[in-house]
Amino acid sequence: MSKRLITPEDLLQLRSVTSPALSNDGEHVVYVETTLHEEKDTYAAELVMTSPHNPDQNQYLTHGGYINKLPRWSPVGEALAFISNRTGTNQLYTLSSWGEPKQLTEEKKGVNDFRWSPDGKTIAYSSTQYPEEEKENDKPEPLVVNKMKYKSDASGFWQGEYVHIFTVEIESGKHTQLTDGAISYTLLDWTADSEQLVISSVNEENTDFIFSNDLLLLSVEKKEFIQLTNQTHVISDASASPDGRYLAVRAHERDYENATHFEIYLLEIATNEWTKLTGDWDVQLGPVVAADFLQNTVDPGLVWSGDSRSMTFLVSEQGTVGLYKLTTDGKKEAILTGHAHVYGFSILADGSSLVAGINHVAHPGDLYLIQSGEERKRLTTSNDDVLDELEVVQAEEIRFQQEEGHELQGWLMKPAGFNEKETYPLIVEIHGGPHAMYANSYMHEFQTLTARGFAVLFINPRGSLGYGQEFVNAVRGDYGGGDYRDIMAALDYVLKQYSWIDESRLGVTGGSYGGFMTNWIVGHTNRFKAAVTQRSISNWTSFYGVSDIGYYFTEWQIQADLNDTDKLWKHSPLAYVNQIETPLLILHGEKDYRCPIEQAEQLYIALKRREKTTTFIRFPEANHELSRSGKPSLRLKRLDAIGKWFEQYL
């Protein structure tokens, strides 16, 4: 049977299978299955339970088309807790005996995250709180701004809200607020005795120039803090050992600002003695893949073994995300590696069973059971019926030595229906960040382009994570320099190696930093016959003041501020607008606070004023996450616009 070509609309048929949670006895796995709802133009995420021993018997634990996420088993018994928006806001629920879920919270602004206590009697959760009641009227209110960090691409304008920590007792339903005041807290874990919470915070009211956070222990009974750090680290995760002796902490000391690799530290609670366990390991600890398909993924963080001798976690390196174990004396062991993207896992305390979510370029992802001495066992087949109908394109890995002395890694995808006797146009894709990583991971955008007859080249230029600290830091202060040369070197390499690529029909596209680089490329070469820039940066001088991260990101990355506008302008693609001859499609979300739409407006007007070939598409209500989690209808229109632009000019 001949297979059909992938279309943008196939996003509506494919299912994202994520967030596996393995029960304590290893008999059940609960996971999140996310789909796009065309009629409601939204997403639905249901909890599904399967058995590692009989994966054909799936049971949907939730229904109704809401977002149900973060399934977590009680450490004691068979109760399951999760977050759902079925009442309109994210609230905490428990489920036992697979009956109806029981709602535990009624927070006005919902629940952000939660953790079971080790004794299974209590759940700690975090919730956004406002210092005073909001005014409920239809009249617009002015926003009074007194801080620099006053807006966020994720949450909009700051209006006095802070995140606080609560507990709820499972049996009595009693709620207790543990923190208050004009400080936000992040919930990380419980200590082994169920008496203290591990949290992080910035113990300052004015955080405009503070980018580290502190690690704290919070007594649940007394509501008293023990401060373990003093603004020395950026802390992304901490988990307590089952024996109560240690905290495993993933953190860094901002040696290279936001380009700094995380390390794993062992903190002895009794003495507050810190030991760095990963000082000789030059990799990125945690998942950092640039992708557009998976929904409701969760980084499990540092997961302790039951004997408190080791921890398991995800590692990004060399275009893959794998699973590693690290002992308390610093010995590393690869558990699950290979040419794939491990995007989540759940492991039994004794390490005998592991369930992992794995995908690769030609497969959106499924859950697999891994047991000692046994072959990997596939537990889900959520997309098999759709994939059986589609021509899904694999990718060929490329590696080559750049003339400047470092190795580059990338992937080349041939067009669907490839015929070696024909020649084909090529599109170069550039990821955002710039501190992210393309991986052997499914990208629906890439598949839709190959279905239209384009080859796709995607690489990790300097600045990308996964290739060592020196490599990721090399882009800072040099945007449009070595990173640009890396991308062009990759293009030259594939043109030399693959004669079927038509050098006269080249396209380029990317979003965020990838949009910046697209703008930069068309201002510095006419090799490309078409380009699509997405949620891009065109002018660092204005970006400094309008982005939610503008003033500090610009200082960290361009290494200049408004006292050095010459350097800001030198690295701004808008400065080279007179040299742009490539037909350029500009895509941008109107609610993008990360790279505000004025960046696109400036570029568009400058091009039109010079009578250059360009079109500007504005996506209403869309923020910086349009391509990944925007409204389904807009995501489809975006993919269609990209494909049609390249078809028109290539």
Side-chain angles (χ1 to χ4, degrees), residues 276-411:
K276 186 186 293 187
L277 298 181
T278 53
D280 61 344
W281 199 10
D282 198 9
V283 297
Q284 175 63 15
L285 303 173
V288 291
V289 173
D292 69 352
F293 177 74
L294 294 170
Q295 301 291 325
N296 294 305
T297 57
V298 178
D299 176 10
L302 307 174
V303 181
W304 280 96
S305 60
D307 61 9
S308 299
R309 294 181 179 178
S310 65
M311 63 213 73
T312 304
F313 50 91
L314 296 171
V315 173
S316 299
E317 59 176 340
Q318 300 289 318
T320 67
V321 181
L323 198 60
Y324 281 80
K325 182 168 73 174
L326 180 69
T327 63
T328 53
D329 57 2
K331 295 179 181 177
K332 302 183 291 286
E333 178 186 347
I335 298 177
L336 183 60
T337 58
H339 298 289
H341 170 199
V342 180
Y343 56 81
F345 71 94
S346 180
I347 189 170
L348 291 185
D350 63 4
S352 60
S353 291
L354 163 73
V355 175
I358 305 173
N359 80 352
H360 54 79
V361 167
H363 195 282
D366 271 309
L367 302 183
Y368 295 82
L369 175 69
I370 295 98
Q371 294 179 306
S372 300
E374 297 184 16
E375 291 188 6
R376 184 185 304 177
K377 180 180 180 181
R378 188 176 176 190
L379 298 182
T380 59
T381 57
S382 299
N383 293 305
D384 281 14
D385 55 342
V386 179
L387 294 176
D388 286 345
E389 302 176 359
L390 301 176
E391 182 173 350
V392 187
V393 175
Q394 295 279 358
E396 177 183 345
E397 182 184 352
I398 62 169
R399 286 181 182 266
F400 66 96
Q401 199 75 15
Q402 218 266 27
E403 289 184 2
E404 296 176 45
H406 56 268
E407 185 180 63
L408 290 175
Q409 180 189 28
W411 294 263

Side-chain angles (χ1 to χ4, degrees), residues 402 404 406 408 430-431 434 459-464 471-472 474-490 513-514 516-517 520-521 540 557-558 571:
Q402 218 266 27
E404 296 176 45
H406 56 268
L408 290 175
I430 308 169
H431 67 64
I459 76 151
N460 287 322
R462 69 190 79 180
S464 302
F471 191 83
V472 71
V475 74
R476 295 175 64 228
D478 190 39
Y479 273 45
D483 47 356
Y484 169 69
R485 294 193 298 274
D486 284 350
I487 294 167
M488 301 308 288
Y513 163 82
F516 157 83
M517 182 51 67
W520 185 268
I521 285 173
W540 288 107
Q557 293 291 312
I558 306 303
H571 289 280

